[in-house]
Every structure is written in C-alpha cells, then in structure tokens.
Amino acid sequence: MQTITWDTPFVRQVLASIQTHKPFIYGLTNYVAATLSANVLLAVGAGPAIGPALDWPEHFASGARGVWINAAALMSADIDALERAARAADQAGTPWVLDPVAFGAGAPVYDAAVRGLLVHSPTVIRGNASELIAFSGGDATGKGVETTAQTSEALGAIASLSRQAGAIVAVSGATDYVASGDEIFAIPGGDARLTKVTGAGCALGALIAAALGAHGDPLEATLAAHALYAEAAARASGQARGSASFATAFVDQLSLLEPELNAR
Amino acid sequence: MQTITWDTPFVRQVLASIQTHKPFIYGLTNYVAATLSANVLLAVGAGPAIGPALDWPEHFASGARGVWINAAALMSADIDALERAARAADQAGTPWVLDPVAFGAGAPVYDAAVRGLLVHSPTVIRGNASELIAFSGGDATGKGVETTAQTSEALGAIASLSRQAGAIVAVSGATDYVASGDEIFAIPGGDARLTKVTGAGCALGALIAAALGAHGDPLEATLAAHALYAEAAARASGQARGSASFATAFVDQLSLLEPELNAR
Amino acid sequence: MQTITWDTPFVRQVLASIQTHKPFIYGLTNYVAATLSANVLLAVGAGPAIGPALDWPEHFASGARGVWINAAALMSADIDALERAARAADQAGTPWVLDPVAFGAGAPVYDAAVRGLLVHSPTVIRGNASELIAFSGGDATGKGVETTAQTSEALGAIASLSRQAGAIVAVSGATDYVASGDEIFAIPGGDARLTKVTGAGCALGALIAAALGAHGDPLEATLAAHALYAEAAARASGQARGSASFATAFVDQLSLLEPELNAR
C-alpha cells in the first residue's frame, strides 16, 4: 500500500493549481458544517458558494469547477435540490463529491434518499468508517455522524464500494485511506482533535472538490486533498490548547501552506 | 439556597459519565447557534446530530440519549418538525430540553407555537431572564434574543414555571439559577463575554441534554451542566482578549476538563 | 474625494451611540454567514435576531431599529420572506441594508428576485465590486460570492446605482468606497485576510444596519460602520497567523473598540 504525504510531489502541484486557478466550488451541505467548509475553501484560494437557493443547484453545479454534496444538506434542503445538483454536475462533466454523512445511523428514509444519488455517478465518495461500511452494504454502526469503527476496518468496504460505484472512495480517521478500484493508498497523520471539530469531514469533501476542479487527475486530486489536510493538522498541533483553538490553527495552516519546495 | 460549583462532587461524576458513555444527542436549533452547539457537545465527548432532515426528528429523537429543542429552529424548520421531535422524545422516555429563545420578543404566532410544545413534557426548560419571565406568564421585556432583566429578577418566574410545567427550569446570566419545584439552586461564575458569543445559551441547552443522557438524576445533570459551563468560562477568562478569542478559549477549556480530582 | 477613518470624529460618535442604545437589529442572511454576523453585532453591543421564522419577518422588521437583508438568505428562505421583511421595514420607516450577494454570478431567477427588492427602497446597498457592477446594469464578472474586480473599478457603478435607487451604495474591498448621489467617500485600510473569512461582507452589512439604527444620519452611519471595520482589521493584523486567527482577532478588536478619545 502506497503512502501519500505532503512530500509526495503531486501534492504540492495540486495546491499550486488550486491557488493559481482559484476554482469556483459549489456545495450543498448542512448549516452546522457550512461555515467551516467555506473557510477551508477560502483558505486555499478556492471560491465557495453553498446552498440550494432558487435555481442555484442547476446553474451553479453545471458552472462550477467542482461540486460537493454532503447529504446532511437534507436538513435545510429537500432531496430534489440534491438530485438536481448531482444531475447537473454529472451532465456537465463537473467532478463531484458525495459525502453520505450519518448514513446507517437510524433513519431509513434518509438512507434511501442518499443512496439514490449514486445514479448520478459521483467522482468521489468520502465519509467516516461507519458511514462507508454501511453505505457499501455492511452493518450500520455509527451514532449520528460519529464513527464507531477504525478506518482500517473499512478497507474491504471502500474497495468494494469503489468497484460497485465506479468512484474513488475515501475514508477519513486516524489514518485516511483512499480506494480506486483495487488500489488502496494510505494518508497518515492528522490530529485527534480534528474529530472534535464539527464539519471537519464535510470540509474535507469541499477541499477534495476544489482539488478535482483544479487538477486533471481525480485520484491524485483526492489523495492530495487528504495530504494537505493531514499536513495542516500536523502543523497546527503545537499551536493549540483544546478543540476550538485547534480548529483555528488548522484553518490558519491551510491558509499558510506554500507549494514551493523549501517553503516550509 | 444551595450553591453548585465545579467542586460539588456530582458535577465531576456527570462529566465522567458523559466522557465514558459518549451519549448521542439530537438537537433542533437555528443555524446561527448550531455550530457552537455541536462543538460544545464534541468537546465534552458527546455525539451530536442537528437538524430536521426527512424522518430524522422521529428516528433521532427516540433513538438519542438526550434531545434539545431550541425554538429558534423555527428559522429553518416548520413547527411540525419540532412537534414530532418533542413527541417522539416524550413517548420514548428520552429526556429533552426546551429553549424558548426570543419568547416574548414580539412575534405572537411564534410564541404560541413554542408554548404548544409544553404538552410534550420537557424535562428541562432553559432560557434567559426575559424569556422565562415572559414564558411563565409575565411581561415580555426582551429585545430579540437578548435579555433586559437580571437572573435574580426571574426567581419567582422560574419556580412558578417549574411547578406549572412539572419541569426543571434554569435561567442563565451573570449568576445562573435552577428551580425544581420550590427548590432553587445558584451556580455562580461565568464571564460576561459569554453574552457576546452567539449561541452560547443554546449550546448550554445542548450540554444539559448530554448530561441528562449520561446521568440518571435530571436535577443533578442540569446543575452539573451549568457548573461545567461556569468552570470552563472561568478558566478561559485569562486566555482571551475579546469576545471571539473568549469563545475559542471557552470551548478549549470544555474540551480539557478532567473529572479526576486533582486533575486541575 | 474625502477619506474617512477611525480618527474622523463622527465615527466614534456612531460607535458610542451603538454601545449606548444597543439597537435591536433584524437580519435575513444565509447560514454560512449568520454566525459571524451575529457575533459582530454582539461585539459592538447591538442585539441581533436572524431568520425567517413564522411571522418574524414582519414583526421583527417593523420592530427593529435596523434591518439587513443578505440576498443569499434565499438559501434557506423563500423570496416571500425577504419581500415581507423589506416591505415591513420600508413601511415602518426602519432603515434597511440590501446585500445583493452573488448577483450576476450565473443564476438569472435569483438575480431577478433580488432586483425586485429595490421597490422597497433600501437605505443602503452594499456588496463587492463584481456584484455592484452587475447590479447597476454592468457586466457580471463574479464567481459565486468572490469578486474579480477592484473596488476602484466600481466607482461609476456605485454612483449610478445610488442615483437610480435613491440609496447610499457601498462597495467593499482593499479600499472601500461609499456613494451618496454624486458624492463619493473612501475608507482605506482593512486586511486582505478579511477576504478569506466567509461572511465578512455580510457582517459588514449587519454592522451598517446597527449604525443606521443608532445614529440619525444614514450617510455618517454607513461611513462609520466601514471605518470601524477597517480599524478593527488594522488592529487585528499583528495578532493573527492565518485566515482563521485573523477572524478571531478581528471580532476581538471590534469588541474592544472604545469611543473615548485617547482610549486607544
């Protein structure tokens, strides 16, 4: 299994490409996670728009360079808005990320609606271990949006889901793993305090969408987004007391990452 | 009147119980307050889910260990979602917290809808002085969500409301008071900058729900949540410049509280 | 062109008036920006309420001392709620601020709905350069909510829009400009990191509404709000690492501004 870090050359290329092209990224997410997601995108130089206003799902999903749909957007939007955004992205060839947050946590109508989005061919599916195990057909083990499984327990699930859905599948946790068909990559690092910051997973989905919108190779883009997240978390670690100052330091470090070699 | 602080033994027991059991807590609140509430729950180890998506109100309110309903959820949900969540919690025996935010501030249709939730027997009702004076039948004196009364002026109102509603009633401000029938307890401390952090009251409701979900005695749970809040605010005081860094330091300190004696 | 700064005498008078009168300010905005807007209002001593709950638009818009409507509120409210709030503010003589965020960014149904709000005579229209150039009838050049034009390129557009709409028009960017008919004022300063904080523009609209609600002269109120923003940003500059700690330091400094001479 190959390991990807900040020192893997294409990671900095992807960051440079985001900073240069400033891709416009459209997202549907829930209000709990929206502000952090927007700030993560702004930190790396992308331009975010979030929300299902009027005719935005179609217009913005087809006009954006990348789209992410966090299924918890269903808190303040109906499934129709998500369907329209996913369909518009798919038809326009805009890469899009599906985050089936809280899948398998006990709401079957919700789960069915989220699964229905797969017909619009997401480029990447990302989530935590519990969500992706459930989404791939395994037993639901989550409590709301918190996982009760380790990412290493989800390796079979993400590979299986990648083959089923024809998508890149990424699971985040202490170590992140990304599956593309039968290939699996590991991205180590991060900081456990990231699990105490609401929306941190959703914002990773937004960053993946930005990377997809700025870099031609979807697998490299997905891996790079995870490696950028891990690097910013590692740099933030020594600058924080508890969970809230960690969140601040983490976004700070994302905004300060420089793609040039020796810039550290 | 008994005073409760971090040094009251059951306070640390409640914190230990939250950290051990990591209760899943479901909330309906407004988007202004949602992110802070989620981060407060994550800071103490609880697992939050927030929002009225599809069939979540019933499923999550009956499956959660605690529920809080901030009436300002009516900003992005209709009253039906709140009714369904309150009814489901009541029928499942899940303890739930009602926060009648902005009650009496000038919107009679809103006030009537909020009052209607009382039939579902909230375990705890919490708010600021203006809101609870109005909710207990007194004159409305608030401006939006800001109070214009001192908590000590609300002692009669919270005792009366506690008897009327058969609920624990808690008022927060410079000194917090909690009424259970004719008994009233004081929780001193906190920091005035907390009144400059939007959603701080709502997030206290979330923390009460987490305490209710982890500890068998609802009165002790309610008192402990207030004492944890006051302790974190006191520890944050010296670490902050203005209102925003205070919010960061406050959540940090919640995430760093250790229930063990001598852990300070 | 006159330049307005923290040292212009009426700026401190406006701040003193906000801190003394603590005006109740009602806003309709999107959930991405709502929390920062509320915290900015609380930082200067105003009392915020945000959201379209039930009959709040009419009651709160007519009862508030100032109202701001960020058109991206359409993410979680329908146009009818915005219409009702704008009409109620206009009929009650409550000053109100229109922020046509993302106008001209590619969603014509949205643009038409936003333009329709002009019949309710906003006191102030504020936005970034791309939005205001498009709103005044020029070419749309924005990508979502990010501008692609300099504020100095918008001077003709804001003067024209001011005359057309009979409103004060303010454009924010590296240097802010405010037009009242043919007069244009400059407010220099700020910090580029403010453009990496989501909702910073929307929260400026909220602060303008607070200034309008506390000070009798709408032009001075609008100029003062911009100068307070620039001063807080300048004071925050040395206290921050990246974009997130800048946001924290900025709100801190707003909460610490003292109107007394020599208080710095």
Side-chain angles (χ1 to χ4, degrees), chain B residues 80-158:
Chain B
D80 182 55
L82 277 67
E83 284 278 0
R84 285 153 49 207
R87 184 183 302 115
D90 188 25
Q91 289 181 350
T94 308
W96 74 280
V97 180
L98 173 62
D99 188 337
V101 65
F103 192 94
V109 176
Y110 171 82
D111 287 358
V114 175
R115 193 177 288 283
L117 295 172
L118 283 176
V119 303
H120 301 300
S121 303
T123 313
V124 177
I125 301 168
R126 67 133 263 116
N128 68 31
S130 290
E131 291 157 356
L132 294 181
I133 290 170
F135 201 50
S136 76
D139 279 346
T141 56
K143 300 187 298 178
V145 300
E146 307 315 306
T147 189
T148 56
Q150 300 298 313
T151 53
S152 55
E153 302 172 48
L155 295 182
I158 65 172

Side-chain angles (χ1 to χ4, degrees), chain B residues 11-103:
Chain B
V11 172
R12 293 175 201 217
Q13 289 166 19
V14 171
L15 177 61
S17 189
I18 296 172
Q19 292 182 348
T20 304
H21 297 300
K22 302 183 186 307
F24 168 53
I25 306 300
Y26 178 59
L28 290 175
T29 184
N30 60 326
Y31 46 75
V32 178
T35 305
L36 181 64
S37 295
N39 282 331
V40 161
L41 288 172
L42 290 169
V44 294
I50 300 178
L54 292 176
D55 58 348
W56 288 17
E58 283 88 356
H59 277 85
F60 276 6
S62 60
R65 297 290 302 268
V67 170
W68 91 101
I69 298 179
N70 177 328
L74 290 167
M75 288 177 191
S76 55
D78 55 29
I79 185 64
D80 182 55
L82 277 67
E83 284 278 0
R84 285 153 49 207
R87 184 183 302 115
D90 188 25
Q91 289 181 350
T94 308
W96 74 280
V97 180
L98 173 62
D99 188 337
V101 65
F103 192 94

Side-chain angles (χ1 to χ4, degrees), chain C residues 166-253:
Chain C
I168 298 163
V169 179
V171 60
S172 57
T175 295
D176 297 344
Y177 296 98
V178 173
S180 177
D182 290 326
E183 279 190 302
I184 297 190
F185 301 84
I187 303 95
D191 186 298
R193 283 172 290 187
L194 212 49
T195 64
K196 295 204 160 196
V197 178
T198 196
C202 174
L204 174 53
L207 184 60
I208 296 169
L212 292 169
H215 186 78
D217 183 318
L219 178 57
E220 285 187 355
T222 304
L223 293 167
H226 284 80
L228 295 172
Y229 232 60
E231 179 69 13
R235 295 187 188 192
S237 287
Q239 300 175 342
R241 279 200 182 89
S243 57
S245 59
F246 179 77
T248 300
F250 171 67
V251 176
D252 268 3
Q253 291 302 325

